[in-house]
Amino acid sequence: MCGITGILGYGSCFADLLREMGQAIAHRGPDDGNIWYDPDSHVGLSHRRLSILDLSEAGRQPMMSHSGRYVVAFNGEIYNHMNLREKVGDVGWRGSSDTESLLAGFEKWGIEQTIADAVGMFAFAVWDRLSRTLTLGRDRVGEKPLYYGWLGDGRRAAFVFGSELKSITMHPEFKGEVNRDAIALFLRHNCIPAPHSIYRGISKLPPGYLLNVSLNRRTPTTKPYWSASDVINNAITEPFNGSEDEAVDALEALLLNVVDRQMIADVPLGGFLSGGIDSSTVVALMQSRSSRPVKTYTIGFTEAGFNEAEYAKSVASHLGTEHTELYVTPKDAISVIPKLPALYDEPFADSSQIPCYLVSKLAGAHVKVALSGDGGDEIFAGYNRYVLSKRLWGKLSLLPAPLRSLLAASMTKISPQRWNALYSGFLQLTGNKEALSNFGDKLHKAAGVINCRSIDDLYYKLVSHWGDPTSVVRGAAEPATLITGGELQLPHNYVERMMALDLVTYLPDDILVKVDRAAMGVSLETRAPFLDHRVIEFAWRLPMAFKLQGNDTKRILKKLLYRYIPETLFNRPKVGFGIPLQDWLRGPLRDWAESLLDEKRLIHEGYFHPADIRLKWKEHLSGSRNWAYSLWDILMFQAWLESTREKSVSAYNPESLKVISG
């Protein structure tokens, strides 16, 4: 795992600038840093190395191909690179790195064909010295990030790219104009989906895409080499025809092959273990292939409903792993908040970013690589919303839309506070002691679900934090996304539709961003066996009944896990990897939040209309509503905005530097 950045055009020949851009993401690669540039072609690459495979000098980057045609800066791992070497043949290999394997493939088959044959996670930039073309590429699912865009005008124009925005902001032509439309997307999704970024003119390369650009053809051209939508539709037309037991056998064999490859490293390796189905499956398979106890890591919270550490400990004990756990106090978790703007570079508000960082930090103190269970929910139907939609929408869709609208309107006509009072009186009359908390709040949210026009509308509401972000963000127009743009060919089955959208939106834009930045912030490489594209393709060929039956989610994965762990150790209701955010905002975080949500401050900064924000804050503090996630979006933007003002801007002057040939 590494960090890459570079320039085509103005500034590409300034060695100090390339080093400074690389240094900005040194946490992604603390073991080494190097640059390559060509003054005649006005191109430069910078690489920061986290040494995982081939720790020798032969693994240094940027790396040139054997013929000298290609120069690459590569971030990630190619798990089948030895197979690629066998196909290429003997070229006089200098070392054993996967980067050298890729370059040999580029020379033999070209970039697109080589990447199509590669199994792994990656982001890369390769300069073709023959055609004078820069190609960027990103892995199929989006495990590794890549930003890009043009800066400056005329002779000062430069195409820049980087693993994180930090490196791009180092360029002297970077202006940092905030993209208000992206803020609207952020308030809806608690992240900024690709291809958008928080800065105007800077984009994210979508997963599964290649991009080409040159000084002669400055408008970048993008092309997918792998499409999740195509995979899903092909899988549905060519389903798995075996029995459920045969499917479990096939899945086990496939995952064992994937885990074998992902456990290859020349440095200490371990695994995240929450005690849930996904991480337990990965660790169980790891331990089955290891002659020594696998190192496993988990964190726990003292707050009820947020702690899975006891379950993880039981699983670790049964499997015989070398287990490390850390119980985190609210003070420990809250101390992470000031780090979040720098970690994520742009506003990001999935609050599980906090425990994700803490468990990464814990593991990173002992190992350099950790395997995770990310992706299991999306491909094996693990989210509660799949159960909810299957159970609820089937009944709701039988009611005429006008009747549903009338019912929803009648539910919201009464305030949440009044509903709470009525509900309290009902409980006293009936003597029922098992009360729902915030009954009125839940009823108002349920009304939004009842009023949905279609399953797509239901999904959109379920994944939206703010229902109408443009009413909150000044001067914003919310752009279309993969959810709203109508570009995807989605399955007809409504659970499969939601799973497909999660795979191409929620997973790469939220989950994988969260994990990448948290782990790379402590120089830890993460690997996710479920995200091997062959596992995804196989999972989508399976009948839905193998994944979801009634309330039984991830059915086939559980059947596989039964072979390694007793059912009693993991078969329990799903617990999210979260924090008690709603209570913290009313308690230890209250003063911090009040400062960022101050009405005068919001007006002065000019990004938000404060009325609805202040109302939600007031209702949340009173306990009548739970607006924790909506407020966390605003707070994370405000914290990011504050950090950009406090951050010292480099007084870099490229005109004072000499051009160094290299």
Side-chain angles (χ1 to χ4, degrees), residues 391-401 403-404:
R391 189 171 58 199
L392 185 62
W393 186 250
K395 297 176 182 177
L396 283 177
S397 60
L398 298 176
L399 296 175
L403 182 58
R404 281 189 275 119

Side-chain angles (χ1 to χ4, degrees), residues 570-618:
F570 65 85
N571 201 355
R572 60 184 183 277
K574 182 177 178 63
V575 178
F577 191 39
I579 57 174
L581 183 60
Q582 66 181 81
D583 296 329
W584 287 2
L585 287 176
R586 296 184 183 116
L589 291 179
R590 179 169 179 165
D591 291 342
W592 168 78
E594 181 62 62
S595 172
L596 293 175
L597 300 179
D598 178 77
E599 184 170 9
K600 291 181 180 178
R601 177 175 184 162
L602 293 173
I603 292 172
H604 174 73
E605 290 166 341
Y607 288 102
F608 297 120
H609 298 289
D612 200 14
I613 297 170
R614 293 298 304 176
L615 176 62
K616 281 179 166 56
W617 179 231
K618 181 180 178 181

